[in-house]
Amino acid sequence: MVVCKFGGSSVADENQIKKVKAILDEDKNRKVAIVSAPGKRNKEDRKITDMLYECNSLVQQDRSCKRVFAEIGKRYLDIAAALKLDTKKLTLALDDVRRKIDAGSGTDYAASRGEYLSALLISEYLGWEFVDAADYIVINPDGTVNPISYERLATRLSTGSKYVIPGFYGASPEGVIKTFSRGGSDISGAIAARAVGAELYENWTDVSGMYSADPRVVENARVIPELTYVQVRELSDVGASVFHEEAIAPVIPVKIPINIKNTNRPQDPGTLISADADPRGLIGVSGKTGYSRLKLRKLMMFKKPGMRHALLTILHLYGVRPSYSLFGIDSIVWLFESKMATDTVLTSMCERLKKDFELDDVIFERGLSIIGIIGGHMDESEAFIDAVVALRDGGIHTNFVNFGVNRTTALIGVSEEDCTKAVQTIYEKVF
């Protein structure tokens, strides 16, 4: 069996949904489809999910979301009419969703309805069974998948039929609608693939796979034909947004391969992600902005047992959860997403850290980006050295380097304003 996930661009309008049907009809083994909410039809358009977030925000401010929701409803009804579907069932569903958003059902409920309505519509068009993710997928408080989800979904999908499942959401252990992070339909597809023991998980989007660099930044970037699970996670974590970095977790234990494909060019081979892949050499470079750096220093810092854990506990109290760590004999550097805390919060946190732990220095800095160079057996390559030299020769200051921690990734820190230039410079020099 093949499980297919279709992203927002793949279901943006009736013409895209017709392409989805053609793809599913082309292979009789494609029996489970996970669908996103309709995405943008053009640059000026809005994603349905963003509009639903706006509806919830308006309700929380005791304001009417009538105008915005009317626009959402029209989008779905126009698609249904163009596909020559009876709109009565969809109209009732829209009315129910609007009523519950108005009643204050919350952010997760509102955001999830884009996928819910999309799946209702597409299941009717295909003539496949609709399966509500909230009834079978359980999401833990920390956002991870509860293993009971696989058993529940496997039982539901065992009748030999064909199914459409809304992506992006499930329910808490208490049965309350809960979403994954944005882009989480990729995770929903992986859950379904594991539940049915799929031979392949196809992730359909609007590009022909994962690229060696962002093609909007690097003109001659190429599609990567093959990646390991680890490599795709590393690439996604440093800004390659084609595939959600957490979506490999459900399929790794059972070694289900993933194929990233293009809905608009289904003949393209795409990128295959598997446990058996063993690509050596350079694979890709990507950059991600929006980081801040916290630098702590204290003489004999690590002589005190539990020091690092105690420091992290304070960070967590202030809402800061580091993404990367660097260590010296008497120092720690943590990098975290800047949006986690305001300058006021960070100033207060630094004052407390310095006082409570008698630190010699506590400094935070904004405006950093992280460049990731991904490859196979990177610890045997000189590409990292070439990249650092190329940045220096290009007048780009390097804030930090992290190499040799694993065999897949080398990380380089540069300023936010240098991120794009750094990616271009490294690609030109070492790729």
Side-chain angles (χ1 to χ4, degrees), residues 40 67 94 158 181 202 269 325-326 333 355 362 392:
K40 291 184 178 182
R67 180 191 60 80
L94 284 163
S158 63
S181 57
E202 292 180 337
S325 304
L326 300 168
V333 177
K355 178 182 177 183
V362 183
R392 182 201 63 191

Side-chain angles (χ1 to χ4, degrees), residues 27 29 43 60 76 97 99 117 139 145 154 160 180 204 207 227 247 254 256 261 300 313 318 329 344 351 413:
D27 186 344
N29 290 318
K43 288 183 178 179
Q60 298 304 315
Y76 282 106
V97 170
R99 187 164 52 251
L117 293 165
I139 304 175
V145 181
F180 292 111
W204 293 85
V207 293
L227 286 169
V254 288
I256 297 172
K261 301 272 286 179
M300 312 292 281
T313 299
Y318 283 84
I329 189 172
T344 302
E351 289 173 353

Side-chain angles (χ1 to χ4, degrees), residues 38-220:
K40 291 184 178 182
R41 295 161 292 187
N42 52 62
K43 288 183 178 179
E44 290 70 37
D45 204 8
R46 298 183 66 192
K47 295 180 179 180
I48 288 291
T49 302
D50 290 337
M51 297 166 72
L52 286 164
Y53 275 122
E54 183 180 356
C55 284
N56 178 71
S57 178
L58 289 168
V59 169
Q60 298 304 315
Q61 299 170 51
D62 292 325
R63 297 167 60 192
S64 173
C65 69
K66 181 178 179 180
R67 180 191 60 80
V68 179
F69 195 85
E71 190 177 343
I72 293 170
K74 184 178 185 305
R75 179 96 173 264
Y76 282 106
L77 292 169
D78 284 351
I79 293 173
L83 296 175
K84 297 180 170 53
L85 300 176
D86 186 343
T87 59
K88 291 180 181 177
K89 183 178 179 181
L90 181 59
T91 299
L92 290 173
L94 284 163
D95 290 344
D96 184 56
V97 170
R98 166 72 195 280
R99 187 164 52 251
K100 288 179 179 176
I101 291 176
D102 279 341
S105 293
T107 303
D108 283 22
Y109 174 82
S112 72
R113 295 305 87 182
E115 278 73 13
Y116 172 80
L117 293 165
S118 183
L120 280 180
L121 188 157
I122 293 171
S123 64
E124 184 176 352
Y125 176 60
L126 296 174
W128 292 19
E129 284 188 45
F130 169 80
V131 175
D132 192 349
D135 295 333
Y136 302 97
I137 295 177
V138 180
I139 304 175
N140 294 322
D142 63 359
T144 58
V145 181
N146 191 308
I148 198 174
S149 306
Y150 307 123
E151 181 182 341
R152 287 184 177 182
L153 200 55
T155 301
R156 177 63 181 86
L157 304 181
S158 63
T159 61
S161 185
K162 294 184 176 182
Y163 310 92
V164 177
I165 306 171
F168 186 42
Y169 74 91
S172 69
E174 295 75 32
V176 178
I177 295 289
K178 183 175 176 63
T179 61
F180 292 111
S181 57
R182 289 298 291 264
S185 290
D186 291 348
I187 304 173
S188 304
I191 295 168
R194 177 166 171 177
V196 301
E199 62 191 71
L200 179 66
Y201 168 29
E202 292 180 337
N203 193 284
W204 293 85
T205 180
D206 57 358
V207 293
S208 296
M210 295 194 75
Y211 281 78
S212 53
D214 187 337
R216 296 168 298 182
V217 172
V218 177
E219 284 188 19
N220 60 336

Side-chain angles (χ1 to χ4, degrees), residues 380-423:
E380 300 171 3
S381 169
E382 293 186 359
F384 175 68
I385 297 171
D386 293 338
V388 173
V389 171
L391 292 178
R392 182 201 63 191
D393 292 345
I396 299 172
H397 176 67
T398 299
N399 291 302
F400 70 87
V401 294
N402 191 2
F403 178 62
V405 177
N406 63 45
R407 308 190 76 187
T408 302
T409 309
L411 300 175
I412 302 173
V414 300
S415 66
E416 285 189 325
E417 57 265 29
D418 285 334
C419 184
T420 297
K421 184 181 177 183
V423 170

Side-chain angles (χ1 to χ4, degrees), residues 290-294 320 336-347 363-369 399 414-417:
Y291 283 97
S292 293
R293 174 169 57 179
L294 178 66
V320 174
F336 57 93
E337 294 184 23
S338 297
K339 63 185 179 183
M340 288 182 173
T342 64
D343 284 359
T344 302
V345 169
L346 290 180
T347 299
I363 301 169
F364 75 85
E365 299 170 330
R366 298 287 203 181
L368 298 178
S369 60
N399 291 302
V414 300
S415 66
E416 285 189 325
E417 57 265 29

